[in-house]
Amino acid sequence: SSCEVDVCPGLVSMTADVISRTAFGSSCVEGQRIFELQAELAQLIIQAFRKAFIPGYSYLPTKSNRRMKAAAREIQVILRGIVNKRLRAREAGEAPSDDLLGILLESNLRQTEGNGMSTEDLMEECKLFYFAGQETTSVLLVWTMVLLSQHQDWQARAREEVKQVFGDKEPDAEGLNQLKVMTMILYEVLRLYPPVVQLTRAIHKEMQLGDLTLPGGVQISLPILLIQRDRELWGNDAGEFKPDRFKDGLSKATKNQVSFFPFAWGPRICIGQNFALLEAKMAMTLILRKFSFELSPSYVHAPYTVLTTHPQFGA
């Protein structure tokens, strides 16, 4: 039987749950609250950006400024509570947890005196992990479902591959890493709809970039979206969904140029890349197994950027 459903909210809560468990393990209920607050903060920050820029405006006690401060404070309080609870458990002789926070705390406590991160640093790492790793993966999954709805032949190929690799078995990491068709599809979705459309990098001292001499102190904008859809780099079909272009791997598809960098590039490449792709493969495997899907007649294609690119009217 078929019915119409907006997949966005379900995928958002799934990726939030995954990141909560990975970051905070047993404290994932508190983790969920952090996630809600960070999502609200993102919306408020974007609204602030859209207003006319008035110097000092962020210090005025407007309604949204007060709400931002309150939300940020609540996040700090919850995180500090989680960290302190861990430290007390450690002092009581409990074994450390193997979630992100546990790993950070352990490496921190093993450092020599004065070398470790402060509690504030730890909290910033957790917030960043949450913020960077949740929304990005949920929008990757949304666009994957949209594109596989538009290209039923690829949906069928992906489902066939899932059946071949897993049969009736529970999906495991080893099997997920064997999914070639799925990987090609995810790369092509990341090329056409990179969750983060542009990055900014600051240059600290004068440097040479090809024929350009760039002075220290400038900021460079890297327009990921434009580069990944550039016809000179990708050919005349750059705007089309053709996962086959990745059949021989990334370096073949990009002719060894940096023309595909949804996770950025270089020494500051996203540390969550493997985590995100594994999570996306797992989610798509479970969905393809149980469902076939197509776009509802009421779907409106309107990619919309609020920090990440998502469908403005749902999917």
Side-chain angles (χ1 to χ4, degrees):
S1 70
S2 71
C3 65
E4 181 183 276
V5 60
D6 180 7
V7 295
C8 289
L11 294 173
V12 167
S13 65
M14 192 261 325
T15 56
D17 187 53
V18 170
I19 214 110
S20 294
R21 288 163 194 268
T22 315
F24 303 120
S26 59
S27 319
C28 59
V29 179
E30 294 124 298
Q32 282 293 90
R33 180 67 189 139
I34 295 171
F35 159 65
E36 286 161 18
L37 289 161
Q38 286 202 329
E40 186 189 349
L41 264 175
Q43 287 291 348
L44 290 166
I45 289 165
I46 290 296
Q47 283 162 18
F49 273 143
R50 297 211 167 122
K51 292 191 178 116
F53 180 72
I54 304 161
Y57 184 81
S58 59
Y59 297 104
L60 297 177
T62 62
K63 187 180 171 193
S64 64
N65 282 351
R66 285 203 308 272
R67 180 60 204 137
M68 278 197 233
K69 284 204 179 69
R73 252 200 318 272
E74 193 182 335
I75 291 172
Q76 295 294 90
V77 169
I78 297 170
L79 273 172
R80 195 177 296 278
I82 295 175
V83 171
N84 289 340
K85 197 159 78 185
R86 290 289 171 93
L87 290 171
R88 285 197 299 275
R90 196 177 187 276
E91 279 162 20
E94 272 181 43
S97 349
D98 61 354
D99 51 31
L100 177 81
L101 183 56
I103 293 163
L104 286 173
L105 275 170
E106 274 309 294
S107 75
N108 207 26
L109 295 164
R110 274 203 299 270
Q111 294 264 23
T112 49
E113 283 307 304
N115 246 357
M117 287 194 244
S118 64
T119 303
E120 267 61 34
D121 290 340
L122 276 173
M123 283 155 56
E124 287 303 318
E125 289 295 316
C126 287
K127 284 196 301 201
L128 182 62
F129 184 68
Y130 231 82
F131 200 69
Q134 184 275 326
E135 173 114 352
T136 45
T137 310
S138 66
V139 298
L140 165 58
L141 288 166
V142 168
W143 292 121
T144 302
M145 290 191 76
V146 167
L147 285 159
L148 289 182
S149 295
Q150 290 169 333
H151 302 272
Q152 292 288 329
D153 51 334
W154 281 99
Q155 187 182 141
R157 281 181 67 177
R159 187 174 292 106
E160 194 44 49
E161 180 182 56
V162 164
K163 278 186 187 148
Q164 275 177 354
V165 172
F166 295 113
D168 299 328
K169 291 201 324 282
E170 278 290 295
D172 56 8
E174 195 187 336
L176 293 171
N177 286 325
Q178 290 170 27
L179 298 174
K180 298 275 186 291
V181 174
M182 180 86 80
T183 303
M184 284 154 52
I185 289 168
L186 290 171
Y187 281 164
E188 184 68 337
V189 175
L190 284 165
R191 185 183 72 80
L192 290 166
Y193 296 92
V196 176
V197 293
Q198 67 145 11
L199 287 169
T200 308
R201 290 283 183 259
I203 293 180
H204 296 294
K205 56 175 193 277
E206 184 180 295
M207 65 182 294
Q208 202 64 26
L209 200 64
D211 306 333
L212 293 173
T213 303
L214 299 166
V218 300
Q219 289 199 345
I220 291 185
S221 174
L222 307 170
I224 302 174
L225 180 68
L226 297 181
I227 290 167
Q228 292 185 170
R229 285 172 172 256
D230 189 315
R231 290 180 169 203
E232 281 182 32
L233 297 169
W234 292 93
N236 285 335
D237 59 1
E240 295 167 40
F241 178 74
K242 292 194 169 171
D244 267 329
R245 60 178 105 236
F246 290 106
K247 69 175 184 296
D248 298 319
L250 274 180
S251 50
K252 251 311 189 3
T254 56
K255 307 184 185 75
N256 285 317
Q257 302 178 92
V258 185
S259 52
F260 177 81
F261 54 109
F263 294 98
W265 203 260
R268 293 184 55 188
I269 195 164
C270 171
I271 58 166
Q273 177 171 353
N274 295 346
F275 177 85
L277 287 171
L278 199 65
E279 183 184 348
K281 286 175 192 174
M282 174 66 90
M284 286 313 303
T285 294
L286 296 172
I287 291 168
L288 285 161
R289 237 182 187 179
K290 292 240 166 76
F291 303 99
S292 61
F293 43 93
E294 55 190 55
L295 282 176
S296 143
S298 64
Y299 172 73
V300 179
H301 192 63
Y304 176 71
T305 303
V306 178
L307 302 186
T308 57
T309 306
H310 52 92
Q312 186 170 354
F313 307 110

